[in-house]
Amino acid sequence: MQDEPRRVAYVAHCLMNQNAKVSEFAKCAGVFSPLVERLVKNGFELQQLPCPEMSHMGAVRWWASREQYDTPGYRHHCRNLAKSVVDLVMLHQDAGYDVVIIGLDGSPSSGVRLTSTKASWGGRPEGAVHGGSDRRPGMGIWMEELKFEFEERGLAFPRATGVAMDAQDFDLQKAMVELDQFLTEGKENAA
């Protein structure tokens, strides 16, 4: 085991704690076990990323789209959180760890490959009644600010992917196959 490269996964807060999600959006009680089991099986140390939505808006909050979070104040909040995360990632990288980031695709904040969108939202939240928000390719606000913090320091953004639990057509089996491929590719590159 000592010959294996050391690996660490920085995981979106709500994948490690589904109870932190906006009411009605958790897909399981507590930790998202299929993800954690795969990471542990592949030799990853786990680090939980902070939840900028909860620390900015509180534990009891309405759902929102990327457009509603895309404000100078929220971006500033995310950038402040990103500073300590990048500090910790740098410690892992300096110690020779293979570092990955696992976000929550479909999230307005934690999406890596997919984020939410609904420019028309505002006023009384009625998204669940009228079909919810849409999804589009791209990063959420938190992931963008985290990436910007890496770039501002002259560092490459670590290899990253997202689990699309916040997509309307979420398919657990498909998501786990994609995650396995991502983890396998990284293991081959680290060897």
Side-chain angles (χ1 to χ4, degrees):
M1 190 79 160
Q2 289 181 338
D3 294 338
E4 293 284 320
R6 297 171 83 178
R7 307 176 89 190
V8 60
Y10 285 79
V11 182
H13 188 96
C14 51
L15 290 172
M16 300 286 284
N17 177 15
Q18 284 274 290
N19 297 322
K21 293 183 69 56
V22 171
S23 295
E24 304 170 24
F25 278 52
K27 293 206 178 352
C28 60
V31 68
F32 180 47
S33 298
L35 168 71
V36 171
E37 290 165 2
R38 278 171 169 75
L39 291 171
V40 169
K41 178 182 168 192
N42 282 279
F44 280 91
E45 172 186 323
L46 304 179
Q47 291 287 329
Q48 185 175 18
L49 289 168
C51 176
E53 292 180 17
M54 182 181 289
S55 58
H56 188 70
M57 300 295 292
V60 181
R61 61 194 185 279
W62 298 111
W63 54 90
S65 69
R66 179 185 158 78
E67 290 84 0
Q68 290 166 306
Y69 280 118
D70 196 1
T71 66
Y74 187 66
R75 282 190 177 274
H76 179 75
H77 175 68
C78 289
R79 184 59 73 96
N80 283 338
L81 293 174
K83 290 177 188 319
S84 62
V85 170
V86 174
D87 289 344
L88 189 56
V89 169
M90 288 174 62
L91 293 174
H92 278 113
Q93 288 175 333
D94 289 347
Y97 278 75
D98 174 29
V99 177
V100 299
I101 293 176
I102 311 288
L104 177 69
D105 276 350
S107 163
S109 294
S110 296
V112 172
R113 302 170 300 167
L114 190 67
T115 188
S116 73
T117 183
K118 199 67 158 187
S120 64
W121 274 7
R124 185 174 183 268
E126 298 180 11
V129 176
H130 296 104
S133 63
D134 300 315
R135 303 293 178 264
R136 68 168 176 82
M139 288 186 154
I141 303 296
W142 162 227
M143 285 295 143
E144 277 185 355
E145 291 300 323
L146 185 58
K147 185 174 188 268
F148 292 155
E149 183 63 26
F150 275 98
E151 291 170 351
E152 192 168 277
R153 295 186 195 198
L155 302 169
F157 188 62
R159 227 166 39 86
T161 192
V163 177
M165 287 184 77
D166 272 10
Q168 289 94 333
D169 60 350
F170 176 67
D171 179 327
L172 176 61
Q173 188 173 11
K174 179 182 174 194
M176 293 301 97
V177 167
E178 289 175 356
L179 181 65
D180 288 339
Q181 289 170 343
F182 173 81
L183 297 175
T184 301
E185 290 168 7
K187 199 169 197 174
E188 291 168 357
N189 293 338

